Amino acid sequence: MATDPSTPRRPGLLRSATAAVRRWLAGRSTVPSTASPAGYPGDFTGRLVPAYSPKPDGRPDPGEIVWTWVPFEEDHRQGKDRPVLLVGRDGPWLLALQLTSKDHDGYPGRSGRPRWVDIGSGAWDRQRRPSEVRVDRVVRVDPQAVRREGAVLPRPQFEAVARAVADLHR
């Protein structure tokens, strides 16, 4: 098969696609290679005490929005790369709440309380779309699996999220 010399080549695209197909055919886990070697221990179910301690040191800290792989609730072997708000620690794990730009107003959680808190827009989203934080699911994040820092969430928005989390655990 001849290729058009005017078409730019995308090095690694075929190799990446081939590897994905091989993993799928082999039925292997879709957990990315940056996930913890010990595997995902499951969502955090203890009493969350949110902490705000962002530091401009290039490492992920509570109070920052970062991008990382988040496992699906139904199957922790599968997931999606998405932004999360770091809200605390559990041993070696960071504790995080997932973000979305989809509007969830009017969709209360099982308890009748809001599952999502509006935090506005910020540098974590290139298009500066308004975002919401899901407060009824706390995921554990391996600090080594964080892909990039997005931004520090201003303290007033962080405190609104912390209040919503506390309200769920009353």
Side-chain angles (χ1 to χ4, degrees), residues 119-130:
I119 59 168
S121 59
W124 58 85
D125 184 280
R126 290 181 187 156
Q127 297 173 333
R128 299 270 183 184
R129 295 172 292 191

Side-chain angles (χ1 to χ4, degrees), residues 41-135:
D43 292 353
F44 181 77
T45 57
R47 184 165 177 87
L48 175 63
V49 179
Y52 187 80
S53 58
K55 298 175 193 78
D57 59 6
R59 288 180 288 186
D61 299 301
E64 298 175 358
I65 294 174
V66 298
W67 283 76
T68 190
W69 186 82
V70 176
F72 294 143
E73 283 182 274
E74 318 78 53
D75 182 355
H76 291 157
R77 295 171 299 155
Q78 297 182 47
K80 177 178 176 177
D81 196 57
R82 64 180 320 127
V84 297
L85 171 61
L86 300 177
V87 292
R89 296 184 183 277
D90 178 36
W93 299 93
L94 293 164
L95 299 178
L97 304 172
Q98 70 187 45
L99 270 72
T100 185
S101 58
K102 182 179 175 185
D103 184 17
H104 288 89
D105 288 348
Y107 295 96
R110 289 179 213 118
S111 66
R113 294 186 176 112
R115 289 176 56 170
W116 299 88
V117 174
D118 293 323
I119 59 168
S121 59
W124 58 85
D125 184 280
R126 290 181 187 156
Q127 297 173 333
R128 299 270 183 184
R129 295 172 292 191
S131 296
E132 297 183 2
V133 176
R134 181 175 175 185
V135 295

